[in-house]
Amino acid sequence: MKLIYLTLLVLPAALLCFQSANTILVRADEDELDDVVDIEGEDNQVVGEDALGDDDDSVIKSSQDVDTNILFIKPISSYGDVAFDLQAGFPVEFLVGFVNKGSEDYIVETMEASFRYPMDYTYYIQNFTALPYYRDVKPKQEATFAYSFIPSESFAGRPFGLNIQLNYRDSSGNFYQEAVYNQTVNIVEVSEGLDGETFFLYVFLGAACVLALVLGQQALSSLARRRSPRAAPKPLETGTANDVDYDWLPKEVVNQLKKSPKTPKQSPRLRKAKRSAGDD
């Protein structure tokens, strides 16, 4: 019985320690991502220091005849928030509005998103796929473009700069690029259901409660046995002279026995009466 109690205590504790060790190792592996500078995005583009331009003249600017706006569908962002949370491993969906205020046509070619280092937006952490649209937007018209991506679960618990760029050109062939969204977001981990660590913790607490109840019950029963009064020993029953059957003796002898103060064992008359009865 004691071995079962010991197993209930030791086994959940060992499993809980093993689960915690695995969590520490996984977090240690994820921390290595902070030192990564040169990585490849989903569209096989080299990002990091190699992605920096040589001078500012190569930067593509946006057109003054175009207005853009963005609306997040998943998750919903409150208006005016500097940073909001994105769930790791879940899709992020948003719509980008494109308004042509000029007098010539604009062709929206692609839209891409990327995670940047929040302290320096020139450092790329991850590039997402550039979606091609190639949609012609006439003057004084507007169009809406949808885009979605899924943040990696390894980025959970870290802030990143989210950059969403829209690439388009006019009818003359001039290329433009506009940062529709360029702010810091927090990648959060969503806990669904009961994870292994919490499960083993509940098992450990349940086993500890059961063991405490059993030990308490045994302690109370032993204390009750000590305090209960012991039963008095039953007296040993012995025969008395009144239990002797005198019916077989003559009445004269019985009368003499009743008058005699001695017990039947000490009465010589009783012995004489028995001998005379045997001779008859």
Side-chain angles (χ1 to χ4, degrees), residues 88-106:
F90 288 83
V92 178
E93 300 178 3
F94 55 87
L95 300 175
V96 173
F98 184 91
V99 181
N100 184 0
K101 302 183 302 181
S103 58
E104 57 180 344
D105 295 352
Y106 282 91

Side-chain angles (χ1 to χ4, degrees), residues 109-171:
E109 294 186 345
T110 60
M111 183 165 53
E112 55 187 337
S114 61
F115 280 144
R116 311 288 184 91
Y117 184 59
M119 303 303 295
D120 188 356
Y121 273 65
T122 58
Y123 281 85
Y124 287 66
I125 301 299
Q126 184 180 11
N127 266 350
F128 297 99
T129 304
L131 291 182
Y133 299 103
Y134 296 100
R135 182 174 176 179
D136 187 10
V137 182
K138 300 295 181 179
K140 308 304 178 181
Q141 292 185 359
E142 62 182 70
T144 303
F145 304 93
Y147 191 94
S148 64
F149 65 93
I150 300 177
S152 175
E153 295 182 359
S154 60
F155 292 158
R158 296 182 176 87
F160 291 103
L162 176 60
N163 179 266
I164 302 173
Q165 292 184 352
L166 188 65
N167 304 315
Y168 56 95
R169 60 182 174 87
D170 56 16
S171 57

